[in-house]
Amino acid sequence: MRFAFTDEQLALRQGAEEVLEGTCTPADIRAIYDSGDVAQGRSDLRWSALNDLGVLSLLAGEDVGGLGFGDVELVGVLESGGAVCLPEAVAIHAGVAVPLLQSLGAPLASRLSEIIAGGSAISVGGVDSDLSGPVVRWFDGEAHAERVEGVSRAAFFLLASANDDGVLVSFVPREHCVIERTPSLDITRDLGTVTWTPTPPTTIASGDDAVVLIDEIASRSAFVAAAELCGVVDAMVTETALYTKDRQQFGSPIGSFQSIKHLVANVRVGLEFARPAVYRAAWSFATQDDRRHHDAALAKALASELGLLAASTCLQVHGGIGYTWEHDLQFSLKRCWALASAHGDAATQRARAMVLGLSN
Amino acid sequence: MRFAFTDEQLALRQGAEEVLEGTCTPADIRAIYDSGDVAQGRSDLRWSALNDLGVLSLLAGEDVGGLGFGDVELVGVLESGGAVCLPEAVAIHAGVAVPLLQSLGAPLASRLSEIIAGGSAISVGGVDSDLSGPVVRWFDGEAHAERVEGVSRAAFFLLASANDDGVLVSFVPREHCVIERTPSLDITRDLGTVTWTPTPPTTIASGDDAVVLIDEIASRSAFVAAAELCGVVDAMVTETALYTKDRQQFGSPIGSFQSIKHLVANVRVGLEFARPAVYRAAWSFATQDDRRHHDAALAKALASELGLLAASTCLQVHGGIGYTWEHDLQFSLKRCWALASAHGDAATQRARAMVLGLSN
Amino acid sequence: MDFTFSEDEQAFRAEAAQWLSANIPAPGSLGSLDTKEGFEKHRAFERLMFENHWSVVSWPEEFGGRDVGIIEWLIFEEEYYKAGGPKRVSQNGIFLLAPTLFDFGTDAQRARFLPPMASGDEIWCQGWSEPDSGSDLASLRSSATRVDGGWTLNGQKTWASRGAFAEWCFGLFRSDPEQERHRGLTYFLIDMESEGITRRPIAQLDGETGFAEIFFDDVFVPDAQVLGDVGQGWAVAMATAGSERGLSLRSPARFSEAVKRLYELLIEREGEPSAPLTRLADQTAQAYCNAQAYELQTWWTATSIREGNGVGPEASATKIFWSEMDLHIHQTALEILGPNAALRERDGSLSDWLDGFLFSLAGPIYAGTNQIQRNVVAERLLGMPRK
Amino acid sequence: MDFTFSEDEQAFRAEAAQWLSANIPAPGSLGSLDTKEGFEKHRAFERLMFENHWSVVSWPEEFGGRDVGIIEWLIFEEEYYKAGGPKRVSQNGIFLLAPTLFDFGTDAQRARFLPPMASGDEIWCQGWSEPDSGSDLASLRSSATRVDGGWTLNGQKTWASRGAFAEWCFGLFRSDPEQERHRGLTYFLIDMESEGITRRPIAQLDGETGFAEIFFDDVFVPDAQVLGDVGQGWAVAMATAGSERGLSLRSPARFSEAVKRLYELLIEREGEPSAPLTRLADQTAQAYCNAQAYELQTWWTATSIREGNGVGPEASATKIFWSEMDLHIHQTALEILGPNAALRERDGSLSDWLDGFLFSLAGPIYAGTNQIQRNVVAERLLGMPRK
């Protein structure tokens, strides 16, 4: 029993932070906000830099060109991405799509190898988290997956679907899909609806295999969103605490007022207890522990609740200035609101965690 | 439209306050707590004083010896009783039993007249508040009503029961009942289980009439408990605010600390919004407005939630001393906990209010 | 106590309902208040209301009102929100400035300013806050310097709702530089077309320009546009501050109508509620009970006001209550909507619930943060020590 | 990172579980800690644990422990609560004083005090608070005056848990009357049988005597019973204050076992939960998630401690979290029980849930109120300004 990161793991996180510090500045995010379109961001540079660092294929085996690491190495990188409101869907690519393709073994190895070599992006769609298990899209000829992340960049999609005959998971190249982008409050989230026709050549799992895979997608999606949430909350609460030192009212920094202290302290307490749950989920995925679905639900439940608390608290503490377009706080607020409800909100996930954990 | 009390109504409340100030002091309540038995209190004196003031038969017609007033006159008296943690079940007698017997008209008039002349107490049992409507005790020969208030003093019981043949309301003299007292955390609440055998001579309503009566009992019980809760919360928050002026820590009165201010302020805000709902319910009962069931549920929902908030807040602000047997705060805390869950807790009553108010 | 509406009150309600149902524009047809086009459409509707004497029912008839009491005003508000009336572009003037003009203005000021305020011909914005004076309003530094026949204003105001398009501004300036905090302030009425005024619209969280910064660079204001006595600005402003915190900006019907929509949304997602309630149904029930409580407390306060009592520190309790209720209603709606809540419509616009949520977030901040209001409740309603 | 338990750890767990299942007394059979009889029964069980080396597993073997690490200690705690172990009557000594003795005591003090503490032969109570020094511990006034060979203590301490029956007391006294606040305090170990000590039991909300006031009237304490340096009492006490706020008093298993019982209670009332959850089921799920989070954060902290890091201001976050979780668990249970929750049993005793609720109410108050802890989190974890 040792629940801590290794020096190597911490160094990898720091490497990601350094890359993001240079390539994903508040000015970069503001450029996206002001243009109103995430596709206007300097995303190629960022994507390449993260690819060069090996982040994108961290969970792929060395045989296919990956680093052969696990989720414990990845989780810090995901937090770093959350902290800067990373516009690219790195979490879905590196934390959901790559490990699932990797888990399918030999049949997908050459495809994965090509993708990694080319630095292509994979996105995932068609799965919702729900207490009753993953819900996939019904289709009749065409299938539609809503709120797919990173649609502008994705070269491939891992897509779940269902009809009366059963459940499928398909691996579909972009050119076989129709993509309609979905405007979002968080402009930096590159969402869209993906429409495709499932065909035998694109099917990579069906029946029970597909059900298992979809369960993995749902849990992994929840886990990576929870990690991102911890990152964004950490950044927000740190910035907010600094703001309270500078902002003067009634002749004192507002951070000296007890009511302000206690509001911000509550967020910090929440973070103190959400993070270990996210790290535990990372370990469970890394080791394919039976607890991983439970742990992902627990992590997302705590992180979603924390994200909403952090957003309303940090806005309140900033006062009017936080409510403006020109203050960078809005980036984090909107990321929190989006991630809190994506991939299972707090209530859905805590129900899932309790039922998985207690009903036998 | 005029939503305020008249001078006469305010004078009546003040009269009750004065009587209680002399007959229901903290020392009186402490005597009950220290003896461990509500029957040890100086209850005869209090009961007579309230009877002399006309409070007990406020809602009875002048023809049967009452004052012929309405619930708008009564509500302030109920609050006053709550404020001093009145051990006698005046609210149930004067706010539930008397008006219901009064509403049954001629057949019960001579009984009611005798009771009023004799200063006897009536209690009520067998009804629970629930979203699905009142639940009454099933019986087979004997019926049992639990958590009946004021069992030591009651000379008569208004009791609801049901079996496969339907629903009954009985009016039963004490000598036909077996009474087993129930120890309660709030020692001043004189609770017990009443066992009786419903017989035709004691039946005062059956079938649909009984269902209607039971509904009135449930709503009136909720209303009077809500009024008592507002009284106890008002007294608690006032005492707590005073305490924060006296208690010094870190060289200042604790009431000067913002965190303490905000905790207490939240209770005061809740009271500001619960009271008008209680007063509106009083008016609805006084005028037999169709809204009265809704208004009673609303009042109890708000008051129950407020009572729990007030109890935990005032205890926290008092710190360790409030946690002791020797501090009088415990009287109010325990009264709040008891009343918050009696006659429908906040969740049950707010569900009832919403469904009555919005589903058409 | 009497909850029955009199025949006159009922007749007033019927007349209001009838006119409103015939004249309220279709939902959304006026566009956003925060665009020039939407602003003018809203202004046109204000004029229509004014012409039919519905704009300011509680004002004297000479200024365009019906001279009715606060109870009738609440009845009108109920009918206005039931009918789906749009946001009032003139609200800063008619709800926040007008009470002060009635109490402290000269006859000439009332005659000059009230009718065009009520007709929407002159829209007012508020010039209270400054960049370094938010909750701590008494720290404001924008100055007024005595000159021949009036005053010269300098400085900067911010968070001026409607400030991007308004014709007039009311605000506090420090007229005596020797005095500090609450002393030495004067209340001015300022023509936004005056030389030396620059406005800079500020976009909000939703990207729309809800407010503006206003820069004053040697702006001349004649003596006739001083409201109340020179140096008494704080007292003048605070005498009616309860209006902003209390009921005038947030009539209960706004919330009860929102809760009805919330209940419909709940049923769409979960079906008719049954006991024991689900978490979201329970949150909806909480919203329902709060809205009902708010309505009842409003009638209670309105009766008290009608009987000659002023609006006291209870207004701070009211402000805390409505702002947190509003947030709760919208948070619940977004939870019911789930992951779709944070999406925009296809045309990029915000759904009514998301728009309402963003708006509700400002509630605990503006008109004195809820932190400040809790201090007021503790100190003035409960007598807790200031320091 | 490695969540697998080593073979040694697993063997340790198995041994503990086996011994505990064979020896833990039947629930309720020891009576209440707060009666003399119950106190002695609890003490007897402590002795049994000690004789089998289970009383203080993490202590060196010479003092009766097994010299195992913090991970094993947590494993032991898990098994202890799973087996339904009773409250530890010796907890003040073994959890709050012992860490300080290990860090600051002399060899002679450790040899003298630790074994009887672990065996339950000497039960300790805490002498921190005074009537006017609750959250503001640094304001304490009880005095220690230098005399030949030791000190004379005068003053009054309060909220001493176990103070009604304890044999020994540890506490802070002002040894230098010239110094104020945190300076000039000394940490003493006091025999409760000393001449000049009077104890007055204080009854709690439940009517039982949970704590005592202790009056010191010229009580002599020899130099050998000063812990740490004279005048350094504050530093000595604070060095291990994290123990009280943090994990040592509240091992995660207490809460996860409580949540299991809560879940059973929920099912009794509402049946198996299904989506969408009812309000009470959702509250239970919150309790479940919090207890899980607490357990994981404890392993995280324990690893950090084992790797040589001290317990920092994070302990304040921990204290806020467990105390509010404990309250939430019990409030939810009482809501599930409904109007019967506030009743006593037929014999007048409190149900476990009601008893636990009353106990949980003290959590946000003692060991530094949660208001104080939030200040610590804000100032020391977030760097917000003190003044």
Side-chain angles (χ1 to χ4, degrees):
Chain A
M1 162 63 70
R2 177 181 184 273
F3 190 21
F5 291 108
T6 61
D7 289 343
E8 191 187 13
Q9 286 157 352
L10 293 172
L12 186 61
R13 171 200 284 249
Q14 204 188 329
E17 279 170 4
E18 282 163 12
V19 164
L20 292 170
E21 202 177 318
T23 58
C24 193
T25 66
D28 294 324
I29 303 295
R30 176 149 303 281
I32 296 172
Y33 266 86
D34 287 345
S35 75
D37 185 0
V38 64
Q40 304 293 319
R42 298 171 20 215
S43 53
D44 286 343
L45 175 61
R46 253 189 317 268
W47 188 264
S48 306
L50 292 169
N51 195 27
D52 292 348
L53 194 68
V55 159
L56 302 179
S57 52
L58 211 55
L59 302 192
E62 294 180 60
D63 54 321
V64 292
L67 291 193
F69 283 158
D71 297 85
V72 179
E73 283 74 21
L74 180 69
V75 68
V77 175
L78 298 176
E79 283 190 273
S80 311
V84 296
C85 297
L86 183 62
E88 286 74 37
V90 169
I92 292 292
H93 170 91
V96 184
V98 167
L100 291 176
L101 290 176
Q102 172 77 25
S103 74
L104 294 171
L108 272 297
S110 66
R111 310 275 296 270
L112 187 53
S113 181
E114 276 169 38
I115 288 168
I116 290 170
S120 308
I122 320 166
S123 198
V124 178
V127 177
D128 278 342
S129 269
D130 192 277
L131 185 61
S132 56
V135 173
V136 295
R137 301 289 140 193
W138 177 89
F139 69 87
D140 179 17
E142 282 189 340
H144 305 277
E146 294 179 358
R147 297 188 307 276
V148 179
E149 294 170 42
V151 288
S152 300
R153 168 168 300 274
F156 297 90
F157 292 93
L158 196 58
L159 294 162
S161 61
N163 66 3
D164 292 347
D165 299 333
V167 178
L168 292 180
V169 178
S170 311
F171 188 66
V172 192
R174 182 185 188 88
E175 53 271 27
H176 294 180
C177 299
V178 176
I179 292 161
E180 186 184 19
R181 292 179 55 204
T182 309
S184 167
L185 184 66
D186 178 350
I187 293 175
T188 62
R189 293 192 88 218
D190 180 22
L191 301 185
T193 298
V194 176
T195 301
W196 79 102
T197 302
T199 58
T202 60
T203 300
I204 57 171
S206 59
D208 289 348
D209 290 348
V211 169
V212 167
L213 204 54
I214 287 168
D215 225 16
E216 297 291 332
I217 291 174
S219 294
R220 279 198 163 273
S221 301
F223 155 62
V224 300
E228 289 183 282
L229 272 165
C230 285
V232 66
V233 169
D234 190 12
M236 269 174 105
V237 75
T238 304
E239 188 277 328
T240 299
L242 280 175
Y243 178 78
T244 71
K245 289 187 188 183
D246 292 338
R247 172 72 172 171
Q248 303 265 332
Q249 293 277 276
F250 304 100
S252 303
I254 62 170
S256 67
F257 299 122
Q258 223 184 17
S259 68
I260 300 291
K261 277 187 188 164
H262 289 197
L263 285 176
V264 185
N266 287 339
V267 178
R268 183 62 183 74
V269 171
L271 184 61
E272 181 74 16
F273 287 85
R275 260 186 167 147
V278 172
Y279 298 157
R280 163 74 213 212
W283 192 79
S284 293
F285 281 111
T287 58
Q288 284 294 97
D289 191 314
D290 286 346
R291 278 184 48 153
R292 64 191 181 281
H293 300 298
H294 168 274
D295 291 344
L298 176 69
K300 185 59 166 53
L302 295 163
S304 287
E305 193 178 343
L306 173 64
L308 296 181
L309 175 73
S312 58
T313 300
C314 295
L315 176 56
Q316 182 70 21
V317 170
H318 278 78
I321 192 78
Y323 197 76
T324 63
W325 188 266
E326 48 202 72
H327 197 285
D328 294 348
L329 181 66
Q330 64 156 325
F331 310 153
S332 308
L333 297 178
K334 292 170 179 177
R335 186 53 67 100
C336 277
W337 292 325
L339 287 177
S341 65
H343 309 300
D345 65 11
T348 303
Q349 294 291 10
R350 69 182 165 240
R352 186 172 163 89
M354 175 175 73
V355 169
L356 288 173
L358 289 181
S359 80
N360 287 311
Chain B
M1 163 62 69
R2 179 180 183 274
F3 191 20
F5 291 108
T6 62
D7 289 344
E8 192 188 11
Q9 286 157 353
L10 294 172
L12 187 62
R13 171 200 286 248
Q14 204 188 329
E17 281 170 1
E18 282 163 13
V19 164
L20 292 170
E21 202 176 316
T23 59
C24 195
T25 66
D28 293 325
I29 303 295
R30 174 147 306 279
I32 296 173
Y33 265 87
D34 286 345
S35 75
D37 184 359
V38 65
Q40 304 293 318
R42 296 172 22 215
S43 53
D44 288 341
L45 176 62
R46 257 191 314 269
W47 187 264
S48 304
L50 292 168
N51 195 27
D52 292 347
L53 194 69
V55 159
L56 303 179
S57 52
L58 212 56
L59 302 192
E62 293 181 60
D63 53 322
V64 292
L67 290 192
F69 283 157
D71 296 86
V72 179
E73 283 75 21
L74 181 68
V75 68
V77 175
L78 298 175
E79 283 190 272
S80 311
V84 296
C85 297
L86 183 62
E88 285 74 36
V90 169
I92 293 292
H93 169 91
V96 184
V98 167
L100 290 176
L101 291 175
Q102 172 77 25
S103 75
L104 293 171
L108 271 298
S110 66
R111 312 273 298 268
L112 186 53
S113 181
E114 275 167 40
I115 288 168
I116 291 171
S120 308
I122 319 167
S123 199
V124 178
V127 177
D128 278 340
S129 269
D130 192 276
L131 186 61
S132 57
V135 173
V136 294
R137 300 290 142 192
W138 177 88
F139 69 88
D140 178 18
E142 282 188 343
H144 304 277
E146 292 178 0
R147 297 188 309 275
V148 179
E149 295 171 40
V151 288
S152 299
R153 169 168 300 276
F156 298 89
F157 292 94
L158 196 59
L159 295 162
S161 61
N163 68 2
D164 292 347
D165 299 332
V167 178
L168 291 181
V169 179
S170 312
F171 187 65
V172 192
R174 182 185 188 90
E175 54 269 28
H176 294 181
C177 299
V178 176
I179 292 161
E180 187 184 15
R181 293 179 56 204
T182 309
S184 167
L185 184 66
D186 177 351
I187 293 175
T188 63
R189 293 191 87 217
D190 180 22
L191 301 185
T193 299
V194 176
T195 301
W196 78 104
T197 303
T199 58
T202 59
T203 301
I204 57 171
S206 59
D208 289 349
D209 291 348
V211 170
V212 168
L213 203 55
I214 287 168
D215 226 17
E216 298 291 333
I217 291 174
S219 293
R220 279 197 162 272
S221 301
F223 155 61
V224 299
E228 290 183 281
L229 274 164
C230 285
V232 66
V233 169
D234 190 11
M236 271 173 102
V237 75
T238 304
E239 189 278 329
T240 300
L242 279 174
Y243 179 78
T244 70
K245 290 186 187 183
D246 291 339
R247 171 74 173 170
Q248 304 265 332
Q249 293 277 275
F250 304 100
S252 303
I254 61 170
S256 67
F257 299 123
Q258 224 183 17
S259 68
I260 301 291
K261 276 186 188 164
H262 289 196
L263 286 176
V264 185
N266 286 340
V267 178
R268 183 63 182 74
V269 171
L271 184 61
E272 180 75 15
F273 286 85
R275 260 188 168 147
V278 173
Y279 298 158
R280 164 73 213 211
W283 192 79
S284 293
F285 281 110
T287 58
Q288 284 293 98
D289 192 314
D290 286 347
R291 278 185 47 154
R292 65 190 180 281
H293 300 298
H294 167 274
D295 290 345
L298 176 69
K300 184 60 168 49
L302 295 163
S304 286
E305 194 178 344
L306 173 64
L308 296 180
L309 175 73
S312 57
T313 301
C314 294
L315 176 56
Q316 182 69 23
V317 170
H318 278 78
I321 192 77
Y323 197 75
T324 63
W325 187 266
E326 48 202 72
H327 197 286
D328 294 349
L329 182 68
Q330 64 157 323
F331 310 153
S332 308
L333 297 177
K334 292 172 179 175
R335 186 54 67 99
C336 278
W337 292 325
L339 287 177
S341 64
H343 310 299
D345 66 10
T348 304
Q349 294 290 9
R350 68 181 166 240
R352 185 173 163 88
M354 176 175 73
V355 169
L356 288 172
L358 289 181
S359 81
N360 287 310
Chain C
M1 193 173 292
D2 186 359
F3 259 91
T4 351
F5 290 101
S6 68
E7 279 184 26
D8 280 359
E9 287 162 348
Q10 289 181 47
F12 177 84
R13 184 188 291 277
E15 192 187 347
Q18 190 178 16
W19 187 85
L20 290 164
S21 73
N23 290 282
I24 292 275
S29 63
L30 300 189
S32 163
L33 260 184
D34 299 324
T35 62
K36 183 68 186 163
E37 194 193 345
F39 189 87
E40 293 304 333
K41 284 188 181 166
H42 280 78
R43 191 206 292 272
F45 178 66
E46 293 286 335
R47 168 160 282 286
L48 181 67
M49 292 230 288
F50 177 72
E51 285 163 357
N52 291 275
H53 307 279
W54 290 115
S55 168
V56 285
V57 293
S58 61
W59 290 13
E61 291 182 21
E62 61 176 308
F63 302 123
R66 290 173 179 245
D67 213 1
V68 297
I70 188 167
I71 301 296
E72 285 84 354
W73 177 75
L74 279 165
I75 290 172
F76 172 78
E77 290 279 306
E78 271 190 1
E79 295 304 323
Y80 188 82
Y81 286 102
K82 263 190 212 159
K87 280 188 193 159
R88 302 285 305 266
V89 67
S90 59
Q91 69 173 22
N92 287 319
I94 61 179
F95 293 144
L96 304 182
L97 172 58
T100 314
L101 269 174
F102 282 117
D103 284 3
F104 293 92
T106 62
D107 286 345
Q109 286 174 333
R110 283 193 280 267
R112 162 65 190 84
F113 292 115
L114 289 172
M117 178 192 294
S119 67
D121 287 336
E122 292 178 357
I123 301 292
W124 289 77
C125 66
Q126 199 181 40
W128 293 145
S129 295
E130 299 179 4
D132 292 324
S133 303
S135 293
D136 181 15
L137 195 57
S139 69
L140 49 82
R141 295 184 305 188
S142 291
S143 68
T145 311
R146 195 78 186 99
V147 293
D148 201 26
W151 299 79
T152 301
L153 308 185
N154 278 288
Q156 181 184 355
K157 295 290 182 179
T158 192
W159 314 133
S161 307
R162 312 284 91 81
F165 310 115
E167 279 83 15
W168 283 82
C169 173
F170 56 95
L172 287 181
F173 290 76
R174 194 163 295 282
S175 52
D176 182 347
E178 302 292 303
Q179 304 238 43
E180 289 193 346
R181 307 284 306 160
H182 310 79
R183 289 171 295 277
L185 301 172
T186 297
Y187 195 128
F188 289 96
L189 308 175
I190 308 147
D191 184 344
M192 289 289 284
E193 294 300 305
S194 310
E195 204 171 323
I197 284 185
T198 316
R199 26 186 151 193
R200 188 177 76 84
I202 306 178
Q204 309 171 134
L205 279 184
D206 61 4
E208 300 200 337
T209 52
F211 16 67
E213 279 183 319
I214 308 173
F215 299 88
F216 297 82
D217 185 13
D218 284 338
V219 174
F220 175 73
V221 178
D223 283 329
Q225 287 167 215
V226 170
L227 182 53
D229 291 338
V230 169
Q232 294 302 310
W234 184 264
V236 173
M238 287 305 121
T240 51
S243 303
E244 187 172 8
R245 293 176 193 155
L247 55 88
S248 70
L249 265 193
R250 288 293 179 275
S251 68
R254 287 172 79 132
F255 304 106
S256 38
E257 292 302 315
V259 168
K260 280 183 202 162
R261 293 198 308 278
L262 182 65
Y263 187 69
E264 285 160 18
L265 194 69
L266 174 78
I267 290 178
E268 258 176 59
R269 159 115 179 229
E270 296 193 346
E272 291 279 344
S274 65
L277 295 189
T278 64
R279 177 177 150 278
L280 290 171
D282 179 64
Q283 283 187 208
T284 306
Q286 284 178 40
Y288 173 76
C289 288
N290 287 338
Q292 289 284 310
Y294 185 69
E295 182 182 329
L296 291 168
Q297 194 264 3
T298 301
W299 291 117
W300 181 259
T301 305
T303 302
S304 169
I305 291 171
R306 194 182 51 189
E307 299 191 353
N309 303 305
V311 178
E314 289 82 4
S316 290
T318 302
K319 198 255 158 167
I320 294 166
F321 193 86
W322 68 248
S323 58
E324 297 186 352
M325 165 172 65
D326 199 25
L327 200 50
H328 171 80
I329 290 170
H330 287 90
Q331 283 169 336
T332 303
L334 295 202
E335 286 193 53
I336 295 175
L337 289 167
N340 287 323
L343 304 184
R344 289 170 177 265
E345 307 290 323
R346 271 168 200 277
D347 65 359
S349 68
L350 300 178
S351 72
D352 287 347
W353 283 118
L354 186 54
D355 188 46
F357 168 65
L358 294 178
F359 186 72
S360 75
L361 285 166
I365 296 171
Y366 77 96
T369 66
N370 285 11
Q371 280 70 45
I372 300 295
Q373 306 299 346
R374 285 193 164 86
N375 287 350
V376 174
V377 170
E379 292 163 12
R380 296 187 53 202
L381 286 178
L382 289 165
M384 291 172 73
R386 263 177 180 277
K387 185 53 230 160
Chain D
M1 194 173 293
D2 186 359
F3 259 92
T4 351
F5 290 101
S6 68
E7 279 184 28
D8 281 357
E9 287 162 346
Q10 290 180 48
F12 177 83
R13 184 189 291 278
E15 191 186 349
Q18 190 179 15
W19 187 86
L20 289 164
S21 73
N23 291 283
I24 291 274
S29 63
L30 300 188
S32 163
L33 261 184
D34 298 325
T35 62
K36 183 67 187 161
E37 196 193 341
F39 189 89
E40 293 304 334
K41 284 187 181 167
H42 279 78
R43 191 204 295 268
F45 177 67
E46 293 286 335
R47 169 160 282 285
L48 182 68
M49 292 229 290
F50 177 72
E51 284 163 358
N52 291 274
H53 306 277
W54 291 115
S55 168
V56 286
V57 292
S58 61
W59 289 14
E61 292 182 22
E62 60 175 308
F63 302 123
R66 290 172 180 245
D67 213 2
V68 297
I70 189 167
I71 301 296
E72 286 84 355
W73 177 75
L74 279 166
I75 290 172
F76 172 77
E77 289 279 307
E78 272 190 0
E79 295 304 323
Y80 187 82
Y81 286 102
K82 263 191 212 158
K87 282 188 194 159
R88 302 286 306 265
V89 67
S90 60
Q91 68 173 24
N92 286 319
I94 60 179
F95 294 144
L96 304 182
L97 172 58
T100 316
L101 269 174
F102 282 117
D103 284 4
F104 294 92
T106 62
D107 286 344
Q109 286 174 332
R110 283 192 281 268
R112 162 64 190 86
F113 292 114
L114 290 172
M117 180 192 294
S119 67
D121 289 334
E122 291 177 356
I123 302 292
W124 289 77
C125 66
Q126 198 182 41
W128 294 145
S129 294
E130 299 179 4
D132 292 324
S133 303
S135 293
D136 180 16
L137 195 56
S139 69
L140 51 83
R141 295 183 305 185
S142 291
S143 67
T145 312
R146 194 80 187 97
V147 292
D148 200 28
W151 298 79
T152 302
L153 308 186
N154 279 286
Q156 181 185 354
K157 295 288 183 180
T158 193
W159 313 134
S161 307
R162 311 283 94 81
F165 310 115
E167 279 82 16
W168 282 82
C169 173
F170 56 96
L172 288 181
F173 290 75
R174 193 164 296 282
S175 52
D176 182 348
E178 303 292 303
Q179 303 237 44
E180 289 193 347
R181 308 282 309 160
H182 310 79
R183 289 171 295 277
L185 300 172
T186 297
Y187 195 129
F188 289 96
L189 309 174
I190 308 149
D191 183 344
M192 288 289 284
E193 293 299 305
S194 310
E195 202 170 326
I197 285 186
T198 316
R199 26 186 150 193
R200 189 178 75 86
I202 305 178
Q204 309 172 136
L205 278 183
D206 61 4
E208 299 198 338
T209 52
F211 14 70
E213 279 182 320
I214 308 174
F215 299 88
F216 297 83
D217 184 14
D218 285 337
V219 175
F220 176 74
V221 179
D223 284 328
Q225 289 166 216
V226 170
L227 182 53
D229 291 337
V230 169
Q232 294 303 311
W234 185 264
V236 174
M238 288 305 122
T240 51
S243 302
E244 186 173 10
R245 294 176 192 156
L247 56 88
S248 69
L249 265 194
R250 290 291 180 275
S251 69
R254 287 173 76 132
F255 303 107
S256 38
E257 291 303 313
V259 167
K260 280 184 202 161
R261 294 198 307 278
L262 182 65
Y263 187 69
E264 285 160 17
L265 193 67
L266 174 79
I267 290 178
E268 258 175 58
R269 159 115 180 228
E270 296 193 346
E272 292 278 344
S274 65
L277 294 191
T278 64
R279 176 176 151 279
L280 290 171
D282 179 64
Q283 283 186 208
T284 306
Q286 285 179 40
Y288 174 77
C289 289
N290 287 337
Q292 289 284 309
Y294 186 69
E295 181 183 329
L296 292 167
Q297 194 264 3
T298 300
W299 292 117
W300 182 259
T301 305
T303 303
S304 170
I305 291 172
R306 194 183 49 189
E307 299 190 354
N309 302 304
V311 179
E314 289 81 5
S316 291
T318 303
K319 198 255 158 168
I320 294 167
F321 193 86
W322 67 248
S323 59
E324 296 187 352
M325 165 171 65
D326 199 25
L327 199 50
H328 172 81
I329 290 170
H330 287 91
Q331 283 169 336
T332 303
L334 294 202
E335 285 193 53
I336 294 175
L337 289 167
N340 287 323
L343 303 184
R344 288 171 177 266
E345 307 290 323
R346 273 171 197 276
D347 65 0
S349 68
L350 300 178
S351 72
D352 287 348
W353 283 118
L354 186 54
D355 189 46
F357 168 66
L358 294 178
F359 186 72
S360 74
L361 285 166
I365 296 172
Y366 78 96
T369 65
N370 285 11
Q371 280 70 45
I372 300 295
Q373 307 299 345
R374 285 191 165 85
N375 287 350
V376 174
V377 170
E379 291 163 12
R380 296 187 53 202
L381 286 178
L382 289 165
M384 291 172 72
R386 265 179 177 273
K387 185 56 228 159

